[in-house]
């Protein structure tokens, strides 16, 4: 790859990374292309050298956000496949995840936004949901159908639990939501 192509790729990745974080913090409609490009240190005119549309950027940002958890674990020397359901619950249903939406799961931050987004973004989100269900099912006990059922319920509870914990202005209630869901998810392997 030539230098200019490599630079273009790095710039593209910087835009996606910036969008991934900011969209989880502000919502899909909370920040515009001009602000994202400015934050990435670029001009708005350069946007269309990288993306055909804002929807294309949103789709890539959702993909990057949903991949970030695994990358972060691997950078810490943790193999996500070897984590137990309790390990997953402890990390996902944490005060840190609740308090840092820009670094967390896009489903906990953007579920309603993604449901109203374009086909490409919803398609990527659907693929990532399937992947998350499969990963959680591998940690659950029971026959295949029961493991899948537990995984869908557990993931829905985790994403919803973090979202509800973020809503609460009562710290004790917020912590109770996280703890209650964490205990439930940790038990899917029994």
């Amino acid at each position: 790859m030539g230098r200019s192509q490599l630079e273009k790729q790095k710039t593209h990745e910087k835009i996606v990374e910036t969008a991934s974080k900011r969209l989880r913090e502000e919502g899909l409609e909370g920040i515009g292309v001009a602000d994202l490009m400015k934050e990435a240190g670029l001009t708005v005119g350069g946007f269309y050298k990288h993306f055909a549309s804002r929807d294309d950027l949103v789709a890539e940002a959702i993909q990057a956000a949903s991949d970030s958890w695994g990358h972060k674990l691997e950078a810490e020397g943790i193999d996500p496949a070897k984590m137990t359901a309790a390990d997953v619950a402890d990390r996902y249903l944490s005060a840190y995840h609740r308090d840092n939406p820009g670094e967390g799961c896009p489903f906990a931050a953007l579920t309603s936004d993604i449901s109203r987004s374009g086909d490409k973004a919803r398609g990527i989100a659907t693929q990532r949901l399937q992947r998350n269900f499969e990963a959680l099912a591998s940690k659950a006990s029971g026959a295949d159908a029961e493991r899948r059922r537990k995984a869908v319920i557990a993931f829905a509870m985790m994403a919803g639990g973090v979202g509800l914990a973020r809503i609460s202005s009562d710290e004790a209630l917020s912590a109770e939501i996280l703890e209650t869901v964490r205990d439930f998810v940790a038990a899917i392997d029994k």
Side-chain angles (χ1 to χ4, degrees), residues 75-125:
E76 294 175 21
I78 299 169
D79 180 353
K82 292 182 180 177
M83 293 176 73
T84 65
D87 295 335
V88 172
D90 284 343
R91 288 188 75 104
Y92 194 100
L93 295 153
S94 67
Y96 183 85
H97 187 199
R98 177 198 62 204
D99 297 342
N100 295 280
E103 297 177 34
C105 176
F107 300 112
L110 298 170
T111 299
S112 61
D113 285 355
I114 294 171
S115 73
R116 292 185 296 271
S117 65
D119 290 341
K120 188 172 183 180
R122 290 183 68 219
I124 287 170

Side-chain angles (χ1 to χ4, degrees), residues 137-152:
S138 73
K139 299 169 188 332
S141 64
D144 286 349
E146 179 62 12
R147 290 172 43 214
R148 171 72 177 201
R149 182 180 157 282
K150 286 179 178 180
V152 170

Side-chain angles (χ1 to χ4, degrees), residues 30-89:
I31 187 164
V33 169
D35 291 330
L36 284 171
M37 294 300 284
K38 182 178 180 180
E39 189 171 324
L42 304 163
T43 64
V44 72
F47 175 82
Y48 292 101
K49 293 179 184 175
H50 296 276
F51 305 96
S53 67
R54 186 179 190 280
D55 287 343
D56 286 346
L57 170 61
V58 167
E60 283 193 48
I62 290 169
Q63 182 172 338
S66 62
D67 291 343
S68 66
W69 193 67
H71 296 315
K72 184 176 181 180
L73 291 172
E74 290 166 358
E76 294 175 21
I78 299 169
D79 180 353
K82 292 182 180 177
M83 293 176 73
T84 65
D87 295 335
V88 172

